Amino acid sequence: MHLINTQIDISAIQYIHRRMIDVKLIKSYIILVNILLSNVVSFAVSDQNMSGVQQGSALEDTNISVEATQASKSEPLNPRKSLFSMLHTHIQPTSSEISKQLLDGSSAGCPLDSTDNPNLSFQDTRTIISPKREEGSFFEKKLNSEEWAEAFHGISENVKQLNLANSNYRGQCIDKWLELNCLEEINLKNCRLFSEDWMRVMQAISSSVTSLNLRGSNYFGEEAERFIRYRDLKKLYLEDLDLNVQTWKNIFSAVKGSLEELFLGGSNFLDSSIENDFISLGYSLQTSSTDCENIISVLLKTLHKLYKLSIKESRYNMNLDFFEFETLEQLECGDSDCTLVLKLSHMRALSSILLKNQRGSCKVVLVDNSPLESLDLTDSSGVYEINITRSPHLNQVKLMNCAGLRKISLRICSDVPELNLMECPNLEFIELEECGSIWSINVDHHKNIKEIKLKKCDTFDLNANYCLELYSIILQDCTKLTSVRSDYCPKLTTIRLIRCPELTSLILKDVSELQNLDLVGDLNIRHLDMGKIEHLSWLDLRNCNALSAENILFIEPEKSGKNKKPNQETDNDKVPDWVKRKNVLTVKVNQKDEETRTAYIEKFKKHKVEFS
């Protein structure tokens, strides 16, 4: 602990001691005092009660410890002029009543007593009040010019953080900035300065700054070339700024060797119309395309240490195409009503994509991003398509409240443990390939689902019940698949099961439109329930060696129009399909013993059975 050796007449202490006032209140406010004069007592907080205090004193049971040392034999100080006047000067504004009582020498009608008590003992001092502010937080402060001058005067030269966000700071005391050589973090969010003041601020900022926040301010690029002095700048907030292309170039070229985190959301750097301005300045693109994403990609690649990029809250439609970034690890998008097309390929370090609350239309395409581990689309109602290929370490896909998602395609994403498809009520297409950790697929009551494709997945079961728009299920090389159930899918026309050797149960009920049931490769189906088969024309059971005729269930279709609906027209065009069509079903079965042949013929006695 650092102590301040000071000189004071002990009578100043006696004034407080003899005076019957609430010392606990004094303790609360004394801790806030900044002692600026040289001959002032040092106040400290102690864990031990003061010793030597007379019984019945108002100081009894307090934890205030005061160390008073007589450094010289100078004349004693007048307590009214010294201690109490300084308390009044330096105490916080909220303590004005207490300081006024001290100055007036009265409280609760009791006058101050000047009797000395030389027997006071003070020890175990721990923390004393600093003479200067060790932090520079003026968040949302609304001060006048004199108050700003006083506030800056009280800042320690060793302060490391200066927060002026959302305040009414207008450039007062800029000269003081030159003394703040230890500043590391500066927050000027939403500050409004005159152009000449911005110039002075940018010139005064210490080269040791590591974080600079200009979000939402009226900074227009004054002294942008000064960024090259900020050799340690690692975090830069440029959100909601409208800068010209020359300023963007100056900033990017100046910080390319140090910048690690960049926040661009809402800035005009994301506006596609800025492209022509870059080209007019002779900026050389590394691609023949003139799309906006290439300019952004090329410029961001110049930031050799950039690992985090935030483009949230964009005011512009974006078509971003990032390719082969060496350092980028985290990407933040979303919180926008604008259109976003995000294409990322061959990202060497990208591990996390945060795309929350994207309300505008959005498509996500990720190809060959091996390090990618997390994709968060929480509350992104605007995302309509996700296409991810070759991200073998992707282990988290959050799809909370993704009401707009229409298509999801994952290929070679072996670590994805599950997909919460119940949060995607409008999903239409599911395509999964080599997703070895997704053990179950459940799309029950997804009224808009149309097509399901699984290939080389370790899924154990598939449930697609009450899917009113579902027309196709294709399952291929799913070696662990044991069960498929589809109940009440009135538009389901095609089911293909290819090389699923562990499949034992296939239950299809109320799938009256089923036309193609392909069972290819060695299947272990022991139970087959097809429900109505009025439109089924081909059934190949030659690969179902474990299936017996008695374990095949189906319902014969109606073949006459006797049960036509009430008030039905007699016109042939009004006759429903189930009346017009003739059910011609060909069943292919392996050559078996006579008993088995007889059983199959009896089971399909109204249909054609072929034995091979």
Side-chain angles (χ1 to χ4, degrees), residues 234-251:
K234 293 179 173 59
K235 187 182 295 187
L236 182 58
Y237 298 82
L238 300 176
E239 297 149 300
D240 299 319
L241 296 188
D242 290 324
L243 307 178
N244 59 49
V245 292
Q246 188 61 57
T247 299
W248 285 116
K249 288 177 62 178
N250 289 342
I251 293 176

Side-chain angles (χ1 to χ4, degrees), residues 558-569:
E558 299 282 351
K559 287 200 173 181
S560 66
K562 295 180 181 179
N563 297 326
K564 62 185 180 181
K565 299 177 182 178
N567 303 323
Q568 185 177 357
E569 299 286 345

Side-chain angles (χ1 to χ4, degrees), residues 420-432:
N420 190 2
L421 301 179
M422 302 305 293
E423 297 285 342
C424 311
N426 295 308
L427 192 64
E428 297 180 0
F429 300 95
I430 301 174
E431 183 175 4
L432 305 178

Side-chain angles (χ1 to χ4, degrees), residues 357-408:
N357 199 25
Q358 173 62 30
R359 300 173 297 276
S361 177
C362 177
K363 178 179 179 181
V364 180
V365 179
L366 310 174
V367 180
D368 289 319
N369 300 298
S370 295
L372 184 62
E373 296 180 357
S374 174
L375 174 63
D376 191 343
L377 302 172
T378 301
D379 297 324
S380 290
S381 58
V383 176
Y384 64 88
E385 181 176 345
I386 302 173
N387 193 323
I388 305 176
T389 302
R390 287 185 291 278
S391 294
H393 297 104
L394 182 63
N395 56 46
Q396 186 180 62
V397 179
K398 291 186 179 180
L399 300 175
M400 299 293 290
N401 299 324
C402 294
L405 188 62
R406 299 287 191 272
K407 180 178 180 179
I408 181 168

Side-chain angles (χ1 to χ4, degrees), residues 76-213:
L77 299 175
N78 185 328
R80 290 181 183 272
K81 278 187 169 183
S82 56
L83 177 62
F84 301 127
S85 62
M86 286 181 288
L87 286 175
H88 178 70
T89 303
H90 301 291
I91 213 161
Q92 294 295 327
T94 55
S95 61
S96 56
E97 293 185 2
I98 296 294
S99 59
K100 184 177 185 300
Q101 291 174 2
L102 292 173
L103 275 175
D104 294 342
S106 62
S107 176
C110 299
L112 291 174
D113 193 335
S114 60
T115 304
D116 291 347
N117 183 359
N119 298 320
L120 287 175
S121 176
F122 317 95
Q123 50 184 307
D124 191 28
T125 307
R126 293 191 178 179
T127 307
I128 75 163
I129 294 177
S130 169
K132 290 277 190 176
R133 294 173 59 98
E134 292 299 335
E135 50 85 27
S137 179
F138 303 97
F139 179 70
E140 294 186 344
K141 292 293 184 182
K142 309 298 181 184
L143 308 177
N144 58 38
S145 296
E146 293 182 357
E147 291 171 333
W148 277 117
E150 182 178 353
F152 269 87
H153 182 73
I155 298 178
S156 168
E157 295 177 1
N158 298 321
V159 69
K160 293 184 177 181
Q161 298 179 354
L162 181 60
N163 187 354
L164 298 168
N166 301 327
S167 70
N168 67 339
Y169 179 71
R170 294 294 184 268
Q172 296 90 339
C173 302
I174 292 182
D175 292 341
K176 177 66 177 179
W177 289 57
L178 297 174
E179 302 176 10
L180 308 179
N181 295 321
C182 297
L183 272 182
E184 295 180 359
E185 299 181 18
I186 301 175
N187 191 341
L188 294 167
K189 178 181 176 181
N190 294 328
C191 286
R192 323 300 291 179
L193 277 66
F194 291 109
S195 180
E196 58 270 21
D197 291 331
W198 276 117
M199 295 176 64
R200 295 175 61 198
V201 167
M202 301 306 290
Q203 293 171 2
I205 291 178
S206 169
S207 60
S208 62
V209 64
T210 61
S211 174
L212 179 58
N213 191 340

Side-chain angles (χ1 to χ4, degrees), residues 497-501 503 517-526 538-547 588-592 600 612:
L497 303 176
I498 305 170
R499 294 184 294 277
C500 300
L503 183 63
L517 178 58
D518 296 336
L519 305 174
V520 180
D522 292 334
L523 302 172
N524 198 32
I525 296 178
R526 298 177 183 274
W538 183 266
L539 179 61
D540 191 342
L541 301 176
R542 289 176 294 179
N543 296 308
C544 302
N545 296 320
L547 185 65
K588 298 284 287 185
V589 184
N590 281 334
Q591 184 71 35
K592 303 200 179 206
Y600 269 101
S612 59

Side-chain angles (χ1 to χ4, degrees), residues 345-357:
S345 57
H346 298 88
M347 306 292 282
R348 306 293 174 80
L350 185 65
S351 62
S352 173
I353 299 176
L354 186 63
L355 187 56
K356 286 187 175 182
N357 199 25

